Amino acid sequence: MSEAVDFERTVMQKQDAPAGECVFVAKVIDGPDRGRTLTLDGAQPSSVLVGQSPACALQLTDREVSRRHIALEPRAGRLHLRDLGSTNGTYLEKLRIIEAELSGGEVVRIGSTCLRFDRMPLAPASAPPPPLNAFGRLLGASPEMRRLYPLCARLARASIAVLVEGETGTGKELLAESLHEQGPRAQGPFIVFDCTAVPANLVESELFGHERGSFTGAVASRRGVFEQADGGTLLIDEIGELDLALQPKLLRALERSEVRRVGGDRARKFDVRVISATRRNLDQEVQAGRFRDDLFHRLAVARIELPPLRRRTGDIPRLARALWSSMGGDEGELPEALVRQWNDDAWPGNVRELRNAVVRRLALGEVELLEPSDAAATDDAVDPAGAAQGAHGAHDAHGATGILEHIISMGLPFGTARQHVLDAFERRYVERTLAEHGGNVMRAAAASGVARRHFQRVKSRSLK
Ligand SMILES: Nc1ncnc2c1ncn2[C@@H]1O[C@H](COP(=O)(O)OP(=O)(O)OP(=O)(O)O)[C@@H](O)[C@H]1O
């Protein structure tokens, strides 16, 4: 392979392929598994794998192929191919590739195996996705979301372990909760454990519980999240962050359906459905030896990958309007121009970021009405760095800077100007937090980290 050209990160894409409903067939045309095929019809819940591991949809015996070598995912008439950090690389003709958009007819080499990818029109018998606009509280009518719903419905009824994958803010927790709510365990508890939310030395006792005196600070016995979730569902969030040393203990607990509290000697049985979620690419984590293959199999009996918001065709305006109404906004008061602007934004924080934008708009309406050109002029003068931000970050900065500029330009004495800024901040903070918590003062106070009475006082003062 001396003549191969290596790229740091390469996205190959043929320009001439027509989009549309189709299936892709991957066929091994050379190598020890010659003749084997894999059909990808887009009905898969997430990307499918090719490699030596039993987790792979196309399992190869080729020793030069990594356990998880490539991932394949049909996307809008093309096949997205991703190398999963393989040892020997993935080659399209002589180019070593990291990612590629295939449109059919390509031959890809992994190890000593050659795969040919053919694209075929979808048989007419294949029905279009059913016209569902949501699964539980997870909204979205894009084809990318709709194709997940039938699987979600089936998984809700089952009790098998599910791994939910997706970027931050794509709704992994909401999906897990919806799976719980739509299934037979709905009456049981839904417990969320976030592997990043507690210090590393406490993760074990949070998961499995502890007995009194088992470590400094263990003043009382405590049930772990498995015991708490008994009869219901446990969401283990950010599973990719779980310390390698703890992974065998979790595996054992799942295999035996029992936990032993830290410092305890009695095994306690549990009846829990486990859903795990991750922002990381767990295939790559397994490949890199940071996540155990056996635990992965236990957790990922089924996999669902939530697409990023930017890939959900038509969902941004729909979600914006639905979120606006659900938070008490009057229909028709969300300006079309703003919805169009949002539709063009990238939303790296996905639905969470869009939701926050809607909340902000509801609470701060008139501030965000600043014309972008006026705001940009002000912003550049005050904060040159602001101009370098992405469209979204810049937009965020304009609101705050706009208020400050406005107050400063009033020519008030320092003390009075500062008081105005504080008043404006308090008013907007209270409005926004209340809007985020459906007007419930108790929950808004808890989210703000202050006592309810204090929050109520600030609210009375600032919203009078
Ligand atoms: N499809 C959706 N419909 C309605 N609301 C959604 C949807 N997806 C996400 N949300 C909302 O966006 C916010 C973020 O969702 P969630 O916490 O489930 O994302 P996540 O993928 O678990 O994020 P993270 O990886 O950062 O933990 C929540 O307020 C959730 O209710």
Side-chain angles (χ1 to χ4, degrees), residues 133-140 145 149 164-177 194 235 237-238 277-279 306 309 312 315 319 322-323 326 349-356:
N133 294 338
F135 171 72
R137 285 183 289 132
L138 193 77
L139 310 177
M145 289 300 284
Y149 297 151
V164 185
E165 301 166 281
E167 292 179 8
T168 184
T170 46
K172 298 184 292 296
E173 182 172 338
L174 191 60
L175 171 59
E177 205 167 354
D194 182 340
L235 168 64
D237 207 356
E238 302 303 345
T278 180
R279 286 182 242 184
L306 285 173
L309 184 55
R312 299 182 196 177
D315 266 354
L319 272 171
L323 292 168
S326 74
N350 293 293
V351 187
R352 178 183 292 111
E353 193 184 358
L354 176 62
R355 189 179 181 282
N356 287 344

Side-chain angles (χ1 to χ4, degrees), residues 76 141-145 308-318:
S142 59
E144 292 80 5
M145 289 300 284
L309 184 55
R310 61 186 171 279
R311 284 215 337 256
R312 299 182 196 177
T313 319
D315 266 354
I316 294 174
R318 280 189 211 109

Side-chain angles (χ1 to χ4, degrees), residues 304-348:
I304 300 183
E305 186 175 346
L306 285 173
L309 184 55
R310 61 186 171 279
R311 284 215 337 256
R312 299 182 196 177
T313 319
D315 266 354
I316 294 174
R318 280 189 211 109
L319 272 171
R321 292 193 189 98
L323 292 168
W324 176 266
S325 303
S326 74
M327 286 184 274
D330 280 337
E331 233 175 276
E333 277 191 7
L334 183 60
E336 274 309 306
L338 183 61
V339 175
R340 277 199 300 279
Q341 180 196 321
W342 282 349
N343 196 38
D344 294 338
D345 281 349
W347 303 107

Side-chain angles (χ1 to χ4, degrees), residues 87-236:
T87 310
N88 293 325
T90 299
Y91 291 86
L92 185 58
E93 294 176 2
K94 288 176 184 169
L95 296 181
R96 180 167 184 167
I97 54 170
I98 305 300
E99 283 185 74
E101 295 282 344
L102 307 181
S103 49
E106 296 87 351
V107 173
V108 169
R109 189 174 63 74
I110 56 177
S112 55
T113 295
C114 286
L115 293 163
R116 196 185 64 228
F117 290 90
D118 289 314
R119 179 180 187 275
M120 305 185 178
L122 197 61
S126 303
L132 290 174
N133 294 338
F135 171 72
R137 285 183 289 132
L138 193 77
L139 310 177
S142 59
E144 292 80 5
M145 289 300 284
R146 279 185 179 182
R147 79 181 170 93
L148 300 180
Y149 297 151
L151 178 81
C152 291
R154 285 203 304 278
L155 287 178
R157 292 192 293 272
S159 227
I160 56 172
V162 179
L163 175 68
V164 185
E165 301 166 281
E167 292 179 8
T168 184
T170 46
K172 298 184 292 296
E173 182 172 338
L174 191 60
L175 171 59
E177 205 167 354
S178 299
L179 287 171
H180 170 77
E181 287 168 354
Q182 307 287 309
R185 292 170 175 265
Q187 300 310 316
F190 175 75
I191 304 289
V192 180
F193 176 70
D194 182 340
C195 294
T196 60
V198 287
N201 60 338
L202 291 181
V203 172
E204 184 173 356
S205 85
E206 288 290 320
L207 277 172
F208 308 129
H210 63 250
E211 297 295 358
R212 188 171 157 213
S214 53
F215 54 87
T216 320
V219 287
S221 297
R222 191 159 184 272
R223 295 183 309 154
V225 287
F226 279 98
E227 283 183 74
Q228 292 171 36
D230 196 33
T233 305
L234 170 63
L235 168 64
I236 309 181

Side-chain angles (χ1 to χ4, degrees), residues 248-443:
K249 291 191 183 171
L250 176 59
L251 180 64
R252 211 162 33 247
L254 294 173
E255 279 172 346
R256 297 183 185 170
S257 295
E258 64 181 36
V259 284
R260 219 173 274 274
R261 292 181 182 174
V262 175
D265 45 20
R266 183 157 76 83
R268 296 163 193 266
K269 283 276 175 205
F270 61 76
D271 165 28
V272 170
R273 191 221 184 135
V274 175
I275 300 179
S276 32
T278 180
R279 286 182 242 184
R280 284 189 185 237
N281 183 328
L282 267 199
D283 294 313
Q284 274 173 8
E285 295 301 295
V286 171
Q287 194 88 301
R290 289 188 293 266
F291 202 87
R292 290 180 64 116
D293 207 11
D294 45 8
L295 178 58
F296 177 87
H297 288 305
R298 194 84 205 178
L299 294 171
V301 178
R303 295 173 79 169
I304 300 183
E305 186 175 346
L306 285 173
L309 184 55
R310 61 186 171 279
R311 284 215 337 256
R312 299 182 196 177
T313 319
D315 266 354
I316 294 174
R318 280 189 211 109
L319 272 171
R321 292 193 189 98
L323 292 168
W324 176 266
S325 303
S326 74
M327 286 184 274
D330 280 337
E331 233 175 276
E333 277 191 7
L334 183 60
E336 274 309 306
L338 183 61
V339 175
R340 277 199 300 279
Q341 180 196 321
W342 282 349
N343 196 38
D344 294 338
D345 281 349
W347 303 107
N350 293 293
V351 187
R352 178 183 292 111
E353 193 184 358
L354 176 62
R355 189 179 181 282
N356 287 344
V358 171
V359 168
R360 222 169 26 240
R361 179 68 195 199
L362 268 171
L364 311 180
E366 85 286 1
V367 172
E368 297 218 340
L369 277 173
L370 280 175
E371 286 296 320
S373 52
D374 297 350
T378 317
D379 221 35
D380 288 349
V382 177
D383 174 17
Q389 293 182 41
H392 223 72
H395 190 67
D396 282 349
H398 295 155
T401 313
I403 299 170
L404 289 178
E405 276 301 297
H406 176 66
I407 293 173
I408 293 169
S409 69
M410 289 162 80
L412 300 166
F414 174 76
T416 316
R418 190 174 62 170
Q419 194 53 51
H420 274 291
V421 171
L422 281 177
D423 290 347
F425 163 75
E426 280 191 353
R427 192 167 53 249
R428 277 149 178 65
Y429 188 97
V430 167
E431 281 172 337
R432 177 175 165 177
T433 318
L434 279 172
E436 271 174 323
H437 294 89
N440 184 312
V441 173
M442 191 126 87
R443 279 193 277 133

